[in-house]
Amino acid sequence: MLDAFRALLPRLSPKQLIVISGLGAVLGGGAIAPVILLVVLGAMGGTITGPPEQPIAFDHSVHVGKAGIACEFCHRGIPVVGNTATAMSAPVSAAATIPSVEQCMFCHAVVATDSPEVQKIRAAWETGTPIDWVRVHRLPDHVDFVHDPHIRALAETHPSFTTAQICATCHGDVASMTEVEQVRALNMGDCQGCHRENSAPLDCAVCHK
Amino acid sequence: MVAAAATLPTDDPHPETDGHRWGMVIDSDKCTGCQACVVACQSENNLALNEENRVIERRAKTWIRIERYWEGEWPNAKARFLPVLCQHCGNAPCETVCPVWATYHNPDGLNVQVYNRCIGTRFCANACPYSVRYFNFWEPEWPSPMDRQLNPDVTVRTKGIVEKCTFCIHRINRTKREADRDGRPVADGEVEPACVQACPTTALVFGDLNDSDSKVSELSNSKRAYSLLDALGTTPAITYLKKVDPSHVDEHEEHGH
């Protein structure tokens, strides 16, 4: 409930907050105090802000759920783990990576070519312009997140997990999402909570660069 | 609060290292003062350009700098070069003065600056006897197209915080992760900070001081070894090797050394 409420509010920088709080103080508090409270709550809400609008209505539930395409077929930066991996996965990369237009065209040169959304892909392919996907998860610049050790660690601690289930630990059930949205806080407390449970490093320099 | 305290490793100024104690050896006999390390560091670590004004204002930032000293009188003057960077002291004066624990000693023996934690008191920079901590008086700016070549592994520091050499911790972390993935220890010489990699005369050597077989361990036991401002008891992770001066060697030999 609180999260949904926070999601409605803008995420502000500390500087903006100070300015707003200062303004509040000057105006005498009383009437404006609840407003400040809302803004502060909103800022504390982290990056959870609901799904952004994407340039093409890409649907994970169709591709993963119905078409049965593996996550690592498209997100090639994730590592090869256990027997869930396909030969497609790149050996290692910090980012999972978003597929290039070319990868969509493997199928969409022939699949659903009469759909207006798919025609956008073809247009991008023909003009050689990349698709400007909007980032859903975005940690601040000073945080160094790497997928590789996480996927490996989760594959080790949960040998029965498929890749999609491993991803679901942090990203939720993407396989059934029409639009990807962030479901887990993935802020410092969240990262450290899981690190503490799994005796993963808690040294500031591991996550901060 | 109790749980948070467990994550702050500053309680003990000499935490047990879990295997590594990164260190460097700088051979002043090999240093030609070419500045390749300075340039490499500048581009690796997203340091803004030091324009002329910045130098005149004495606010230029160089995580590694080559100090130049003259010995003797013209025409027999000799230039002496001394690369100076953060010494990653075992007993660091900067760490104890930070009111917000933005600088601390990590389990690998590195002196770490957590930029997002820093509030810019500059106490650390004042406490540092080596003057290797730099305050950001301005937002960093790069003329186009240089703003397109920033290193994504290193944070761009904003105005109002202190920064310094990290021993290229992003390279250390990456190498450790790769070794971890392959299930092997980090090999000697596998981690190379940008300055070490760029040095054309291998005057800079980097490695693990806890590994008694590493090149740094071997070199830091050399007879020529000394540390900067040794008397202060900061126990730096950087060991310097004295210049081999033929005239001095002769003199020593005459005196039976």
Side-chain angles (χ1 to χ4, degrees):
Chain A
M1 162 56 204
L2 195 58
D3 275 348
F5 171 65
R6 285 174 185 168
L8 298 171
L9 297 159
R11 189 158 192 254
L12 300 175
S13 73
K15 216 182 259 171
Q16 286 168 310
L17 273 178
I18 292 168
V19 171
I20 291 171
S21 317
L23 217 67
V26 168
L27 295 180
I32 214 164
V35 178
I36 297 169
L37 192 70
L38 294 189
V39 172
V40 169
L41 278 176
M44 286 183 343
T47 42
I48 301 179
T49 50
E53 199 179 317
Q54 299 290 355
I56 294 176
F58 177 81
D59 185 343
H60 276 80
S61 73
V62 168
H63 290 86
V64 184
K66 272 204 226 138
I69 310 170
C71 314
E72 62 265 36
F73 178 86
C74 290
H75 299 294
R76 297 194 173 190
I78 62 172
V80 182
V81 281
N83 43 14
T84 58
T86 67
M88 288 300 189
S89 321
V92 66
S93 152
T97 72
I98 301 294
S100 62
V101 183
E102 186 186 11
Q103 268 166 269
C104 310
M105 289 303 285
F106 289 159
C107 297
H108 286 291
V110 291
V111 177
T113 46
D114 48 0
S115 140
E117 292 298 312
V118 170
Q119 275 155 13
K120 285 192 208 163
I121 308 175
R122 172 166 288 278
W125 168 248
E126 277 164 0
T127 54
T129 40
I131 301 168
D132 287 332
W133 300 109
V134 181
R135 280 287 291 261
V136 182
H137 304 78
R138 168 70 88 184
L139 294 175
D141 231 19
H142 53 72
V143 182
D144 187 12
F145 178 82
V146 190
H147 273 95
D148 181 63
H150 291 100
I151 314 267
R152 273 166 214 287
L154 286 165
E156 225 164 79
T157 49
H158 303 84
S160 62
F161 270 19
T162 61
T163 310
Q165 281 171 308
I166 290 176
C167 312
T169 319
C170 296
H171 292 300
D173 189 9
V174 177
S176 62
M177 286 182 194
T178 315
E179 292 170 291
V180 185
E181 77 178 295
Q182 184 166 344
V183 296
R184 190 174 169 149
L186 295 172
N187 55 19
M188 182 152 137
D190 189 18
C191 309
Q192 291 205 334
C194 184
H195 277 211
R196 205 169 280 122
E197 277 164 27
N198 292 285
S199 37
L202 288 167
D203 175 22
C204 319
V206 163
C207 299
H208 292 294
K209 52 185 185 182
Chain B
M1 242 356 260
V2 177
T7 68
L8 294 168
T10 34
D11 293 342
D12 176 3
H14 297 286
E16 280 296 307
T17 59
D18 61 354
H20 303 291
R21 166 79 170 114
W22 302 111
M24 194 185 279
V25 170
I26 300 180
D27 190 341
S28 51
D29 194 44
K30 286 184 175 173
C31 179
T32 62
C34 76
Q35 311 271 347
C37 52
V38 178
V39 176
C41 175
Q42 206 86 6
S43 63
E44 174 79 11
N45 290 302
N46 299 339
L47 279 134
L49 299 181
N50 288 318
E51 287 141 11
E52 197 177 344
N53 270 348
R54 292 286 134 87
V55 180
I56 292 168
E57 288 161 341
R58 298 177 65 79
R59 282 175 183 176
K61 287 186 298 177
T62 51
W63 287 5
I64 180 168
R65 62 172 185 267
I66 308 280
E67 295 193 347
R68 189 191 55 198
Y69 299 96
W70 294 108
E71 219 176 79
E73 291 292 323
W74 175 262
N76 293 320
K78 283 181 181 143
R80 301 288 194 219
F81 300 108
L82 195 70
V84 180
L85 59 157
C86 173
Q87 307 284 310
H88 292 272
C89 305
N91 208 351
C94 55
E95 286 168 15
T96 46
V97 297
C98 179
V100 296
W101 266 334
T103 182
Y104 73 100
H105 223 68
N106 95 338
D108 278 2
L110 295 176
N111 174 256
V112 177
Q113 178 79 8
V114 184
Y115 304 125
N116 47 359
R117 180 90 184 171
C118 176
I119 56 168
T121 63
R122 284 179 266 166
F123 295 166
C124 57
N126 293 335
C128 175
Y130 306 100
S131 301
V132 291
R133 289 178 155 269
Y134 298 89
F135 185 70
N136 283 275
F137 284 93
W138 297 275
E139 290 293 345
E141 274 170 19
W142 287 266
S144 181
M146 290 189 74
D147 53 346
R148 299 287 177 108
Q149 53 104 56
L150 297 181
N151 185 349
D153 292 340
V154 179
T155 312
V156 171
R157 284 81 52 191
T158 52
K159 181 168 74 177
I161 63 170
V162 169
E163 62 179 54
K164 64 161 197 83
C165 158
T166 63
F167 266 173
C168 283
I169 191 166
H170 52 290
R171 292 190 181 203
I172 298 177
N173 282 345
R174 191 193 322 140
T175 312
K176 276 177 33 179
R177 281 200 293 262
E178 278 168 13
D180 214 34
R181 195 182 65 233
D182 303 347
R184 58 176 173 82
V186 175
D188 186 30
E190 199 179 349
V191 187
E192 273 194 329
C195 54
V196 174
Q197 191 181 23
C199 182
T201 62
T202 62
L204 311 181
V205 176
F206 186 81
D208 186 356
L209 293 169
N210 278 358
D211 170 3
S212 52
D213 296 330
S214 69
K215 193 137 183 248
V216 267
S217 297
E218 188 196 317
L219 288 172
S220 57
N221 289 328
S222 152
K223 275 193 210 148
R224 296 193 282 134
Y226 72 101
S227 1
L228 275 196
L229 306 181
D230 200 20
L232 296 178
T234 51
T235 59
I238 299 187
T239 304
Y240 287 82
L241 301 184
K242 275 181 210 153
K243 189 149 182 92
V244 183
D245 196 322
S247 55
H248 286 199
V249 170
D250 290 343
E251 204 176 289
H252 281 286
E253 275 168 2
E254 276 167 22
H255 290 67
H257 280 278

